[in-house]
Amino acid sequence: MVSSGDRKILRELAKARAELAATDENKERAARARDINSLRPSRPIVWIEEIPWHEMDIDGELKTVCEGEEARRIEYGLRTTLFRWRHFRADMVVEDAYYVYKAFTATDTGFRTKETILAKDERNHIVSHSYEDVMDTEEKLGVLKKTVVTAYPEKDEANLAVAQDMFGDIMPIKMRGYGIYCNTWDDISRVRGVGPVLLDMVDNPGFVHKMVSRLMDITVDRYEQMESLGLLDFDTASVHCTPAAVDGLPTADYDGGKVRFKDVWFRGMAQMFSTVSPEMHEEFDIRYMRRLMDRCGLAYYGCCEPLDAKLDLLMAIPNMRKLGVSPWSNVSLNAEKMGGGYVYSRKPNPAFVAGDYVAEHVRSETEETIKACTRYGCPYEFVLKDISTVSYKPGNLIGWTKTVMDTIDGYYGRSPR
């Protein structure tokens, strides 16, 4: 139960959020994000995600004051939204509804890691990992098993009723499911480390194939269960830190019932494959990932790994729509290859906000992308993410936002903000 005092605090914050969502500025951004994902080039969207919130408080603006634990969780979410809008909104889109996430559980897959962790800041969940190889034989693969997914529609109804009572007169209340996120090689790196498995691709490829196949069996089965249970959703806040709104999802024959694979985005990457050849990338990643990717409506691939040598491979996938361009990518080459056929998802370098902020570094990086994408007609976005630290200097993100937005203004005119 939420106390009357907590209720009052939450409602005031919700009203403030609803006011932002209703602004013409917010609606323009939402429409522009959809245009970009739908391959209609326009002024790029600028998003900031994966923020080190423990370093961001300014004058106590993020301090929670509710008494109840659940109330504080909701309060913090509302406060961070309002905080971002005040200080580094960029092109953030404030949703015009309050979403209740569908409840479910999934049984253990037997996945275990053994690691050494080094942490510089005990408040930061981003730490350095050194993983031991605990899955180096076929026998050890046997511990992995398929998960059992259970949905709880009765809990959903109860949660929906609580939210409706709390905020229903302020904004619409909606249920929300989940997108598809496939990070097989992130998982493998956690049970094997990076070095051993890269060597095995050459020295013991048969074993690597069995390992990837087993993990994909588990992943595909999990999402098939989620599809059957009605847990998938096309109406998600984002597709891994980037705008998700797009024409064509859900597909035209969607009847309002359970969301199907073909109604949603697929999200994939293989971050440890930066130095893997295109042929081996296809053999050990794409071939397996397509078992799920090909069944989805649209695909977004790439994260921190540069994809310069892999673009032809990825662009051959019929439903590919968005491709990541990491800080280590060749900016112009990617733009020339993609042209107007794919969303160019540019990931600026988070190192530029990690220490002493130098505006010229950010301006140069931003201009390089603008010039390349306008030259080749790319629909594009800037997504600053993986921000492990700003060295307790919130002004770094504020400065980054101003520099990037002002630089874009120089090419497109000032946006409403």
Side-chain angles (χ1 to χ4, degrees), residues 230-246:
L231 292 171
L232 297 184
D233 207 338
F234 54 82
D235 183 21
T236 55
S238 65
V239 50
H240 192 207
C241 303
T242 75
V246 63

Side-chain angles (χ1 to χ4, degrees), residues 50 178-186 216 219 223 232-233 236 238-244 249 261 264-271 285-286 289-290 292-305 307 314 319-326 343 345-347 381 383 385-386:
E50 300 181 332
Y178 305 89
I180 292 178
Y181 186 88
C182 187
N183 60 338
T184 306
W185 280 99
D186 282 359
M216 277 306 303
T219 299
Y223 281 114
L232 297 184
D233 207 338
T236 55
S238 65
V239 50
H240 192 207
C241 303
T242 75
L249 295 184
F261 285 128
V264 303
W265 282 94
F266 172 92
R267 173 71 176 117
M269 79 289 287
Q271 297 185 88
D285 178 51
I286 301 301
M289 200 168 279
R290 289 191 67 171
L292 189 54
M293 184 191 299
D294 287 355
R295 299 166 68 178
C296 296
L298 294 171
Y300 165 30
Y301 191 94
C303 194
C304 295
E305 71 278 25
L307 298 172
L314 294 164
N319 59 342
M320 187 63 67
R321 174 60 58 90
K322 183 180 294 195
L323 289 163
V325 183
S326 85
V343 179
S345 188
R346 178 69 165 125
K347 309 304 190 305
E381 62 191 14
V383 182
K385 59 187 290 291
D386 297 305

